[in-house]
Amino acid sequence: MAIQLKQFAGLLMRWFATAIVVISLVVTVKVYQTKGNFTSAHKATFNALMLAWTLLLSLNFIGSFKELARALRGRISQLAPNPEQQQLANGLESLLTVWRLWRRSPPKALRIFCVAWLALNLVCASIAHSRSTGADDSQAAQISLALTSLTYTVDDGTDYHDTYIDSGMVNVSMLSCYFGQEFPYKCPASNARTQALAHAYGETSLATEIHTVNVIDDVLQSDNDNGYYWLNESRQYAYRFKEFNPDDVQKIYPFFTNRTITAESRNCISYKVSLDNNQNPDTLKWVMTIPTAYRDNGGTTYIYRGLLDPKYANSPNAVCGSRCTYVWAYRNPSQEMPEPALYKCPVRISNVTNARTEMHHVPDGVARVAAASIVVQGRSVPQQDRPGNNFTQYRLYGIGNPWNLKGNDLEDVGNKAAKFALGSIAMMANSNPTIQITGYVPHLGHKLRVYQPYLAILLSGIVVAHFAVSAYTVYWVTRAGGSTDHMNEHQMGSPGGDAVASKVVTLAGQEEPTDASVSDTGENADDEEFVDAVQGQPSQMV
């Protein structure tokens, strides 16, 4: 009874160990799943932990099968018809031995048991090892708890969704001017080239989706590579600056900073166009000449009314602040809308928020050029009454062009100019050459993906199966009335065991035991010849 209790306690402790390892494995998976993207070092640690838990779980679980094998081997050996198969049946702890027994073509019942035992071990076992009997046999590996590795994967990062952040040297765009693409990079000497780049960059905003959010905090919390944002509450367009890992030549996994810049146009003014230049307060009180080449039926003519380049403008007709430029728009009459209209909109570019160094700032002159980018084209003409050129410029957008005005909505006029300006700034930031400064470096990381239903089913199945195996082992031990070893010794006295321990009496009347562990081609073969030689001689069986 004391032996049974001791063995029962051992089986129970083994089952508790399995439950603890399963809990540890689940905790490890949850911790790394919560971590999100992690480093290569963390990936190695995770793999090591999972390997350790899997090995412990495998070895402990396989130990329970060994206990069951010890409890069953005496009973199974009774099914074997000859000593060799009985000896193999006594080695159920080793799957290799069970395989050898199956190959010896035992009776149907024993063959079915071998197949069932192999299948059960392959489904419920893992990377445990057990040694077969015999001095020349090698260890046999059992496979199946490795199925746990099929319930999760550690994916390598491919884009900005799969990055983790570290401090170091990063690539940031140079924002001091509209750079050309020639090396060495420098600000264009020609104002015309600067304006041409500013306008070309602004046009790209047509190809970029505008994402609508409520406030700027929504922009900062976004984890998507959205080009531009429309802020509903403040009626502004916003752009979020990026930083890049110097190794990311293709710029596919940026770090989205908390630095933003906005463009807006509020308080636009609408004028009635009077051909007789009367003094109505709502009527334009000064003469504005628009060249015929920039007028078209139903089109919109945008106008910059500054004598100087927008970068250096100071006229009240041209600028409305250090980072603000007036954009005029003339809606040409059409058959649908025969009344022409003239609008004056202040387009304002904000400072860069959360800038930490001078390299993060967009200068005032660049901001004024961007604000007027819907108009500017780099064209200027010599002035008659003063030195230098006159940079008053016009740009016509015909019917069907997205920048053409379709009505008298003042907000629409300002929003078109502000959207164009922000597109110019954003494309400049994306296209300008970069410089390395300290910042937040994005690295492609790794992410754990878990197939939770399968993992839960597998682990719970292991715990339940281990409990069932342990309970079945206790049943057989209790039925035999002792431990597994004692039970096997008792069962060796059964008829099947008697065949193994049989003795042959020699002619001299002395007894010699046969050795069933020796193969038929060895000593057993010699014994058979010896028995054949004494056939017909007086002998006595004990």
Side-chain angles (χ1 to χ4, degrees):
M1 184 65 179
I3 296 176
Q4 292 181 14
L5 291 176
K6 181 178 180 181
Q7 188 164 15
F8 174 76
L11 292 171
L12 186 62
M13 291 299 296
R14 185 184 291 276
W15 181 81
F16 272 118
T18 292
I20 291 173
V21 172
V22 166
I23 293 173
S24 301
L25 189 149
V26 171
V27 170
T28 301
V29 168
K30 285 295 183 183
V31 168
Y32 277 85
Q33 192 176 21
T34 305
K35 189 183 290 291
N37 298 314
F38 47 85
T39 65
S40 297
H42 288 158
K43 177 184 177 181
T45 303
F46 172 79
N47 288 335
L49 287 173
M50 292 301 291
L51 178 61
W53 299 139
T54 303
L55 284 174
L56 289 174
L57 189 62
S58 304
L59 293 172
N60 198 52
F61 193 26
I62 295 306
S64 67
F65 276 85
K66 289 184 179 181
E67 292 291 339
L68 180 59
R70 294 190 187 99
L72 292 176
R73 62 186 179 184
R75 174 64 176 169
I76 299 301
S77 66
Q78 296 180 27
L79 302 176
N82 59 59
E84 180 194 11
Q85 293 182 2
Q86 290 170 358
Q87 180 66 20
L88 292 174
N90 286 328
L92 293 181
E93 299 97 321
S94 169
L95 293 186
L96 183 59
T97 303
V98 176
W99 171 253
R100 289 174 177 171
L101 177 60
W102 180 84
R103 293 186 61 188
R104 292 297 188 275
S105 300
K108 183 177 181 180
L110 189 55
R111 180 180 286 269
I112 292 175
F113 170 80
C114 291
V115 173
W117 185 255
L118 289 171
L120 182 64
N121 277 267
L122 290 175
V123 170
C124 301
S126 174
I127 313 170
H129 294 76
S130 60
R131 185 174 306 168
S132 61
T133 57
D136 297 329
D137 291 334
S138 62
Q139 293 184 337
Q142 301 181 2
I143 308 165
S144 112
L145 278 182
L147 289 173
T148 56
S149 64
L150 301 179
T151 62
Y152 67 88
T153 57
V154 180
D155 296 331
D156 295 332
T158 57
D159 59 18
Y160 61 90
H161 291 106
D162 309 321
T163 59
Y164 64 92
I165 307 303
D166 195 8
S167 298
M169 302 300 294
V170 296
N171 285 351
V172 298
S173 296
M174 300 171 65
L175 304 173
S176 55
C177 67
Y178 284 89
F179 283 88
Q181 296 301 312
E182 296 83 4
F183 186 84
Y185 301 116
K186 58 183 179 180
C187 293
S190 168
N191 293 329
R193 180 163 186 164
T194 295
Q195 294 180 25
L197 283 174
H199 180 81
Y201 288 168
E203 290 281 10
T204 62
S205 60
L206 292 176
T208 305
E209 183 180 359
I210 305 295
H211 296 264
T212 301
V213 296
N214 289 324
V215 293
I216 195 67
D217 286 343
D218 296 333
V219 177
L220 300 179
Q221 293 171 8
S222 173
D223 60 352
N224 294 320
D225 190 11
N226 297 329
Y228 316 129
Y229 296 86
W230 168 250
L231 308 181
N232 253 333
E233 291 189 7
S234 58
R235 317 304 291 174
Q236 295 173 313
Y237 289 95
Y239 172 75
R240 187 181 186 184
F241 289 95
K242 309 168 189 175
E243 295 178 353
F244 294 90
N245 188 318
D247 295 331
D248 181 16
V249 179
Q250 301 298 325
K251 296 184 177 181
I252 59 175
Y253 53 97
F255 167 66
F256 300 103
T257 71
N258 62 350
R259 302 192 306 274
T260 60
I261 192 169
T262 60
E264 63 178 350
S265 181
R266 302 179 184 177
N267 304 320
C268 291
I269 301 173
S270 175
Y271 297 96
K272 293 180 180 178
V273 177
S274 175
L275 299 179
D276 58 3
N277 196 27
N278 61 30
Q279 298 301 309
N280 189 312
D282 294 330
T283 302
L284 188 64
K285 296 181 180 180
W286 56 85
V287 176
M288 179 183 294
T289 302
I290 301 177
T292 304
Y294 296 101
R295 300 181 63 180
D296 184 38
N297 180 38
T300 301
T301 305
Y302 288 89
I303 308 161
Y304 167 68
R305 296 192 70 215
L307 298 179
L308 301 179
D309 182 289
K311 185 175 182 179
Y312 309 104
N314 53 20
S315 167
N317 287 330
V319 297
C320 42
S322 60
R323 303 176 68 84
C324 181
T325 303
Y326 281 120
V327 172
W328 297 74
Y330 175 70
R331 182 174 53 75
N332 293 273
S334 64
Q335 185 176 356
E336 293 79 10
M337 302 185 68
E339 292 284 336
L342 185 67
Y343 308 96
K344 178 183 179 182
C345 292
V347 181
R348 183 173 287 102
I349 306 296
S350 73
N351 285 302
V352 177
T353 61
N354 301 310
R356 300 190 307 273
T357 71
E358 189 64 28
M359 297 301 300
H360 293 158
H361 286 286
V362 175
D364 292 348
V366 175
R368 289 195 296 270
V369 173
S373 58
I374 196 170
V375 181
V376 296
Q377 53 184 303
R379 181 177 182 273
S380 61
V381 295
Q383 299 183 95
Q384 298 178 356
D385 54 348
R386 65 184 70 183
N389 289 346
N390 181 351
F391 277 88
T392 299
Q393 298 177 63
Y394 311 87
R395 189 175 285 271
L396 174 64
Y397 297 93
I399 295 176
N401 191 292
W403 306 112
N404 182 41
L405 301 177
K406 299 179 177 61
N408 293 314
D409 187 351
L410 286 178
E411 186 176 16
D412 181 56
V413 179
N415 286 345
K416 288 184 184 298
K419 178 182 177 180
F420 202 105
L422 185 81
S424 181
I425 288 284
M427 192 62 186
M428 178 190 72
N430 291 332
S431 302
N432 273 6
T434 60
I435 187 173
Q436 287 193 13
I437 61 175
T438 57
Y440 299 103
V441 188
H443 300 273
L444 286 177
H446 312 276
K447 182 179 290 185
L448 176 64
R449 184 174 58 181
V450 182
Y451 307 98
Q452 295 186 3
Y454 303 109
L455 181 63
I457 292 173
L458 181 62
L459 294 182
S460 59
I462 289 172
V463 174
V464 172
H466 190 166
F467 182 82
V469 169
S470 299
Y472 195 52
T473 303
V474 171
Y475 165 76
W476 275 102
V477 171
T478 305
R479 182 177 177 182
S483 66
T484 52
D485 294 333
H486 173 73
M487 181 180 66
N488 289 316
E489 292 172 2
H490 173 73
Q491 290 175 339
M492 290 294 288
S494 63
D498 291 342
V500 179
S502 62
K503 298 180 181 179
V504 177
V505 180
T506 63
L507 287 174
Q510 297 179 348
E511 299 174 348
E512 290 186 5
T514 61
D515 188 358
S517 64
V518 182
S519 65
D520 292 340
T521 58
E523 297 178 8
N524 277 356
D526 296 336
D527 290 342
E528 290 176 358
E529 293 176 0
F530 177 77
V531 172
D532 292 338
V534 299
Q535 289 295 328
Q537 299 295 331
S539 63
Q540 180 179 359
M541 298 296 294
V542 178

